[in-house]
């Protein structure tokens, strides 16, 4: 199939008719019918059958279409990369990716310091999960990324910025008085308590789950969430105990929750990521320094 065949085929699959497909890709209806017929001739099998005035995909078309969708997604990546390359010479723009947990307290502090040094720079921020950050950086869709834990990728260079730790956040009145008096929470203290856990796709959540199994702690899992701030929100609304990183815990409402160190300590290192072979960026260097300082300010009172 030629690219034009694929474009028309995809348009008909999306719209269900020749007329709607023609409007979608801005060509005439006869052109769509002609290109579609030529594609079927080359392929040697029908892509659609006409039923009650509509084009119904054949079995072959249904098998083919997911691969066509992947191709269009890749074409979109190429177009975005080309747009980035056109803007490569811009010196007044910084594109940042960050995990959600760093976007509430730490990143705003870092940006305040960065803005004082570079008031004219346009900053674009996107909060994503770590695998998405890695993929976007490799596609050159951003200049700098901030993640928890180390990331091994041949195209990326990482810099260690700080070491945080997991903390226990519990609705006021839920932890036992002797635990509060001790001033720290052990994993065994969570046994049978209502609990909100991080999804298995989260690398730190996986470490917490492993540590709970090692300690023999069996909290009552009521909720599974994708972000630490979702876990914090549930704790602040009295729903369950949460184990969250210290950066997220910095925004906790201490009138609603108790925040205590977790023992044994589960470290949460913070790293910056950027392309290993890309040209050096003064803006990215400055932002990484501001992030390091903001992390030190945020973590100072909370890391045991």
């Amino acid at each position: 199939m030629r690219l034009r065949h694929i474009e028309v085929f995809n348009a008909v699959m999306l719209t269900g008719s020749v007329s709607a497909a023609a409007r979608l890709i801005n060509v005439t209806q006869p052109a769509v019918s002609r290109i579609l017929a030529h594609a079927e001739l080359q392929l040697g099998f029908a892509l659609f059958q006409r039923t009650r005035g509509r084009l119904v995909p054949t079995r072959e078309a249904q098998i083919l279409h997911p691969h066509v969708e992947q191709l269009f997604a890749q074409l979109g990546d190429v177009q975005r990369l080309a747009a980035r390359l056109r803007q490569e010479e811009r010196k007044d723009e910084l594109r940042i990716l960050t995990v959600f947990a760093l976007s509430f307290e730490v990143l705003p502090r870092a940006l305040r310091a960065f803005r004082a040094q570079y008031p004219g720079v346009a900053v674009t921020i996107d909060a994503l999960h770590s695998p998405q950050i890695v993929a976007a950086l490799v596609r050159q869709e951003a200049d700098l990324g901030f993640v928890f834990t180390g990331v091994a990728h041949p195209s990326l260079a990482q810099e260690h910025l700080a070491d945080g730790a997991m903390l226990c956040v519990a609705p006021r009145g839920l932890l036992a008085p002797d635990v509060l008096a001790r001033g720290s929470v052990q994993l065994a203290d969570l046994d049978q308590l209502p609990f909100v856990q991080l999804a298995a796709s989260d690398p730190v959540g996986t470490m917490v789950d492993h540590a709970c199994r090692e300690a023999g702690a069996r909290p009552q899992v009521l909720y599974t969430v994708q972000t630490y701030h979702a876990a914090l929100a549930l704790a602040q609304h009295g729903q369950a105990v949460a184990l969250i990183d210290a950066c997220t815990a910095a925004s906790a409402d201490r009138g609603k929750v108790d925040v205590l160190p977790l023992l044994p300590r589960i470290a949460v290192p913070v790293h910056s990521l950027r392309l290993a072979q890309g040209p050096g960026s003064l803006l990215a260097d400055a932002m990484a320094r501001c992030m390091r300082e903001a992390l030190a300010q945020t973590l100072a009172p909370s890391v045991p």
Side-chain angles (χ1 to χ4, degrees):
M1 294 179 76
R2 297 178 180 177
L3 188 57
R4 192 59 167 168
H5 296 161
I6 293 172
E7 183 183 22
V8 168
F9 167 65
N10 186 58
V12 176
M13 287 293 291
L14 291 175
T15 63
S17 72
V18 170
S19 58
R23 290 192 298 271
L24 181 65
I25 58 178
N26 197 29
V27 298
T28 65
Q29 292 185 39
V32 169
S33 298
R34 185 173 61 255
I35 294 169
L36 194 58
H38 189 244
E40 291 177 325
L41 182 64
Q42 279 199 340
L43 288 169
F45 55 79
L47 292 170
F48 299 95
Q49 295 176 343
R50 188 171 293 278
T51 304
R52 296 178 182 176
R54 290 187 61 84
L55 294 179
V56 179
T58 63
R59 174 178 172 273
E60 290 81 1
Q62 292 173 340
I63 294 173
L64 192 61
H65 190 239
H67 298 277
V68 168
E69 289 181 311
Q70 291 179 9
L71 176 60
F72 273 90
Q74 292 170 345
L75 287 173
D77 290 342
V78 171
Q79 291 171 341
R80 286 190 293 272
L81 177 57
R84 296 297 185 193
L85 291 173
R86 284 197 302 270
Q87 299 175 356
E88 196 173 58
E89 296 303 316
R90 287 193 61 183
K91 305 299 183 184
D92 58 349
E93 180 184 30
L94 183 65
R95 300 157 299 173
I96 299 172
L97 304 176
T98 179
V99 290
F100 293 87
L102 296 173
S103 65
F104 285 79
E105 289 290 333
V106 181
L107 188 60
R109 291 186 183 188
L111 286 170
R112 184 172 55 203
F114 178 83
R115 182 65 64 198
Q117 300 176 49
Y118 300 95
V121 173
V123 179
T124 302
I125 305 163
D126 203 356
L128 302 170
H129 294 290
S130 296
Q132 296 171 313
I133 291 175
V134 170
L137 287 170
V138 171
R139 292 194 301 266
Q140 300 185 43
E141 294 177 358
D143 304 298
L144 190 62
F146 298 109
V147 298
F148 288 149
T149 72
V151 175
H153 195 287
S155 298
L156 300 180
Q158 65 177 338
E159 178 186 2
H160 178 262
L161 299 179
D163 280 313
M166 296 297 285
L167 303 178
C168 178
V169 178
R172 297 295 293 270
L174 187 60
L175 294 177
D178 62 318
V179 173
L180 294 175
R182 187 200 310 148
S184 63
V185 172
Q186 297 182 0
L187 288 171
D189 297 326
L190 304 179
D191 202 39
Q192 300 307 312
L193 287 181
F195 189 69
V196 50
Q197 69 178 6
L198 269 293
S201 58
D202 183 87
V204 181
T206 300
M207 288 193 297
V208 170
D209 183 61
H210 177 74
C212 285
R213 289 199 304 271
E214 288 290 309
R218 295 179 178 83
Q220 182 185 1
V221 178
L222 299 184
Y223 305 101
T224 300
V225 297
Q226 295 290 328
T227 68
Y228 296 104
H229 276 86
L232 173 60
L234 288 170
Q236 292 186 152
H237 281 270
Q239 293 294 299
V241 176
L243 299 182
I244 62 176
D245 69 285
C247 295
T248 300
S251 60
D253 184 344
R254 303 300 176 108
K256 296 180 179 179
V257 291
D258 294 307
V259 181
L260 282 80
L262 179 67
L263 298 177
R265 185 178 188 272
I266 300 177
V268 184
V270 183
H271 292 86
S272 67
L273 300 175
R274 68 178 82 182
L275 279 177
Q277 303 301 324
S281 168
L282 293 176
L283 294 179
D285 290 343
M287 186 64 213
R289 288 194 300 271
C290 291
M291 197 69 170
R292 184 190 296 276
E293 294 168 1
L295 283 162
Q297 296 168 6
T298 305
L299 296 174
S302 61
V303 179

